[in-house]
Amino acid sequence: MSDFDSVITLLKKYDQEHIIKFWNKLGEKQKAFLLEDIHELNIPEVVEMFKKTLENMNTNQQKLDNRMNPIPAELYGAVNRSPKELLIKYKQMGLEQISQGKVGVLLMAGGQGTRLGVNYPKGMYDVGLPSHKSLFRIQGERIRCLIRLANKNFGSCKGLPWFIMTSEHTMEPTRKYFKENNYFGLDEKKIIFFEQYMLPAFTFDGKIIMESISKISKSPDGNGGIYKALRDRNVLDEIKRLGVQYLHAHSVDNILVKVADPIFIGYCITKNAECGAKVVEKAYPSEPLGVICEVDGKFQVVEYSEITENTAEKRNPDGRLTFSAGNICNHFFTTEFLNNVAYKYNSKLKLHIAKKKIPYVKDDGTVCKPDEPNGIKMEKFIFDVFEFCNRLAVWEVEREEEFSALKNADVPNGKDNPRTARLDVFSLHRKFVEKSGGKFKTENIECEISPLLSYSGEDLKHLVDGKIFDSVLELKSAEEISNNKTSNIN
């Protein structure tokens, strides 16, 4: 049987033969491309996924109120409820692990900047800080700063490997951008790029949608696709080879993220956690932020839409919301747990669906852009592994210090956009300066501190103590100043 005959047999078996409906109209290159598309897709697997997703969608409509409990207090720590000595202990423990090369960073950077109005990876976006640093550069320089701090505290540092998950569309531009920027001064050998997988879009009745007569409509499989990608792209083997035991995973679009935060890492290790989650306290009961809790004795993120208003508004005797642990896609994993997920539990991960307007090929071979949702896109979420975790640690941080998402283009009074990201950086950095003895003439002065100079506000006193600033303040490292850049500190 020829390759094409076996493909026909496969497609017929799974009721997907429409994929080759226009075969006779295709050129040789198009035919080869389509066959490769079909082989890469694993038709039996994705059709089974679609069926499971539909079943879950139809059975999981009930509210979760009666099955929910908050995270046990002994597993729920918080920056603002921990004594300073304990935070110092966690930080030293985290820095020691970094110095020994046992910590790595897992960055989810598959997103394009489409909603920001650009056609390049979101990590390359410049929100308009005085330095005009991109998200990638800010995060890379934070890693460099941690390496310096670990070196300073423990006499050496074996490095902090950076594992970057891209998508089909962001892989090449991301690689090129890192190379053009000299990997932000990091060791190129310890930056590993890998690509997440794609899933096809389906019609509501289970037919794979064609983007053109020779191309299947696909989209990235969500941030939960990281586990399959780590396994099948051999990144777990590289993590093991490098001796990494703990990983900090986060998405690229949080401009305030404390990359490989040593306090968080130290806290999770102290709790002997397999998996950890940073959270922020929900601002108000109906805030559209998923909360981490227990459901039927297993850890889970529950969306606001999955509970009633009464449960969302429940409060403890101290006045805090009972279900307040807002999930911000910021996690800790042991390498051992990642291996377990990848090899034992990946096939059990939930699939979430989104009903979308998906361009499709009509019977005459032309492409149509629908006005109403006509199909389903499936994706996995990174936090859906919580249910497989025996020891989860939750660490609550201050929102204004650690969470400012970049999701949308600038519009008046908009949220999670370049303007809000920029203002959140200025506000936090002014606090760092004031804590170190500096003052500002007015409260809205722009202030940016280079991550190469300070990780979280330390080591600034000698630069700002006793000074009053009345114009834009950009604090740079000695290296940046010597690179033909000037500092505005007199």
Side-chain angles (χ1 to χ4, degrees):
M1 186 186 285
S2 71
D3 185 31
F4 182 60
D5 288 337
S6 63
V7 165
I8 291 174
T9 304
L10 178 75
L11 295 179
K12 277 185 178 173
K13 182 178 177 181
Y14 291 94
D15 200 21
Q16 303 293 336
E17 59 265 48
H18 65 283
I19 288 174
I20 53 168
K21 179 177 180 178
F22 300 99
W23 186 258
N24 293 332
K25 291 186 178 181
L26 303 181
E28 290 308 310
K29 277 189 179 177
Q30 288 177 306
K31 285 178 178 177
F33 184 87
L34 182 54
L35 282 178
E36 188 183 347
D37 231 7
I38 293 166
H39 287 311
E40 278 184 3
L41 210 50
N42 192 337
I43 297 287
E45 183 180 70
V46 296
V47 169
E48 184 60 28
M49 278 183 179
F50 177 78
K51 285 178 182 171
K52 272 189 185 174
T53 307
L54 272 193
E55 284 167 16
N56 290 341
M57 184 177 74
N58 295 330
T59 56
N60 291 346
Q61 295 301 315
Q62 76 272 29
K63 298 289 184 184
L64 298 174
D65 302 63
N66 298 330
R67 298 160 54 197
M68 285 170 59
N69 284 302
I71 296 290
E74 67 273 15
L75 298 177
Y76 196 141
V79 169
N80 66 1
R81 295 192 293 279
S82 298
K84 190 177 178 183
E85 305 75 46
L86 194 56
L87 294 177
I88 291 169
K89 178 189 161 192
Y90 292 153
K91 182 178 179 180
Q92 286 301 103
M93 185 180 288
L95 280 175
E96 185 175 15
Q97 299 301 314
I98 289 169
S99 76
Q100 293 171 6
K102 292 180 181 176
V103 178
V105 176
L106 267 180
L107 174 65
M108 291 163 279
Q112 291 272 58
T114 315
R115 281 164 68 183
L116 297 167
V118 296
N119 63 356
Y120 49 78
K122 194 187 274 190
M124 290 164 56
Y125 194 81
D126 162 15
V127 302
L129 295 172
S131 68
H132 291 287
K133 289 178 180 178
S134 66
L135 295 172
F136 280 144
R137 177 169 286 281
I138 290 167
Q139 290 164 29
E141 290 184 352
R142 284 190 181 135
I143 289 173
R144 276 188 64 192
C145 189
L146 278 176
I147 291 170
R148 176 177 61 79
L149 288 172
N151 214 345
K152 180 180 169 187
N153 280 262
F154 295 95
S156 66
C157 183
K158 290 184 178 177
L160 185 50
W162 202 4
F163 305 92
I164 300 169
M165 184 173 79
T166 69
S167 64
E168 181 181 74
H169 303 296
T170 63
M171 173 60 95
E172 284 317 308
T174 299
R175 275 183 182 279
K176 186 182 174 196
Y177 183 74
F178 270 67
K179 190 173 183 180
E180 286 172 349
N181 285 277
N182 196 29
Y183 301 90
F184 313 117
L186 291 162
D187 181 356
E188 178 191 348
K189 293 188 187 74
K190 291 194 174 176
I191 300 178
I192 290 92
F193 300 96
F194 64 104
E195 198 176 300
Q196 72 185 114
Y197 286 89
M198 308 285 277
L199 284 173
F202 281 84
T203 61
F204 297 126
D205 59 356
K207 294 281 197 293
I208 289 172
I209 294 175
M210 297 299 290
E211 181 181 302
S212 71
I213 61 173
S214 61
K215 194 173 190 324
I216 292 168
S217 176
K218 292 179 290 188
S219 56
D221 58 0
N223 57 25
I226 197 165
Y227 307 109
K228 175 180 168 67
L230 284 169
R231 181 191 70 199
D232 294 353
R233 310 287 193 198
N234 301 316
V235 182
L236 284 174
D237 296 338
E238 187 67 7
I239 287 170
K240 187 178 177 183
R241 187 188 70 77
L242 288 167
V244 172
Q245 295 179 18
Y246 311 107
L247 290 124
H248 177 222
H250 66 90
S251 55
V252 76
D253 58 7
N254 176 9
I255 199 166
L256 297 185
V257 67
K258 285 186 175 178
V259 184
D261 176 12
I263 292 176
F264 181 42
I265 288 160
Y267 169 74
C268 290
I269 292 172
T270 301
K271 292 294 177 185
N272 197 26
E274 301 174 300
C275 183
K278 265 193 185 184
V279 297
V280 295
E281 187 173 6
K282 282 189 76 169
Y284 50 92
S286 61
E287 184 180 13
L289 203 59
V291 294
I292 301 176
C293 57
E294 282 189 336
V295 177
D296 298 333
K298 291 182 177 179
F299 301 115
Q300 187 176 323
V301 173
V302 171
E303 301 298 340
Y304 175 70
S305 58
E306 295 178 300
I307 55 175
T308 62
E309 203 173 305
N310 283 345
T311 297
E313 290 177 351
K314 266 189 188 174
R315 292 187 183 270
N316 299 333
D318 63 3
R320 294 176 70 242
L321 289 170
T322 302
F323 297 102
S324 64
N327 182 49
I328 56 171
C329 193
N330 194 317
H331 306 300
F332 164 95
F333 299 111
T334 64
T335 300
E336 186 182 357
F337 179 69
L338 279 181
N339 269 289
N340 282 339
V341 169
Y343 289 101
K344 293 181 187 175
Y345 305 123
N346 187 59
S347 60
K348 297 178 183 176
L349 279 180
K350 292 175 194 164
L351 279 154
H352 302 262
I353 69 163
K355 295 177 180 178
K356 299 277 188 179
K357 293 182 276 191
I358 304 165
Y360 66 97
V361 174
K362 294 200 292 187
D363 286 339
D364 63 0
T366 58
V367 177
C368 175
K369 290 187 177 180
D371 297 322
E372 298 292 329
N374 65 315
I376 284 171
K377 288 187 177 181
M378 302 182 291
E379 61 178 347
K380 297 174 182 177
F381 294 161
I382 190 169
F383 53 71
D384 282 332
V385 296
F386 290 175
E387 65 172 298
F388 308 119
C389 168
N390 294 316
R391 299 186 305 281
L392 175 76
V394 174
W395 184 243
E396 185 184 293
V397 296
E398 298 295 296
R399 187 184 300 235
E400 62 271 18
E401 292 183 7
E402 296 203 37
F403 184 55
S404 179
L406 180 64
K407 305 279 187 191
N408 310 307
D410 273 327
V411 292
N413 304 316
K415 290 182 179 178
D416 299 338
N417 57 37
R419 178 181 168 276
T420 58
R422 198 166 57 243
L423 292 178
D424 288 341
V425 170
F426 294 156
S427 175
L428 177 62
H429 290 192
R430 281 195 299 268
K431 277 186 195 170
F432 288 160
V433 168
E434 287 166 347
K435 205 172 176 182
S436 296
K439 290 183 180 176
F440 294 91
K441 270 201 170 174
T442 59
E443 62 178 29
N444 60 352
I445 287 174
E446 294 182 6
C447 174
E448 182 189 3
I449 301 166
S450 168
L452 292 175
L453 179 64
S454 178
Y455 181 78
S456 56
E458 75 288 343
D459 299 332
L460 298 176
K461 201 167 182 67
H462 68 290
L463 292 171
V464 302
D465 193 19
K467 296 185 178 179
I468 298 172
F469 303 100
D470 60 2
S471 61
V472 175
L473 175 63
E474 185 186 356
L475 297 177
K476 302 173 184 176
S477 68
E479 175 192 321
E480 289 169 303
I481 294 168
S482 67
N483 284 342
N484 299 321
K485 295 176 182 176
T486 55
S487 171
N488 59 349
I489 298 178
N490 299 314

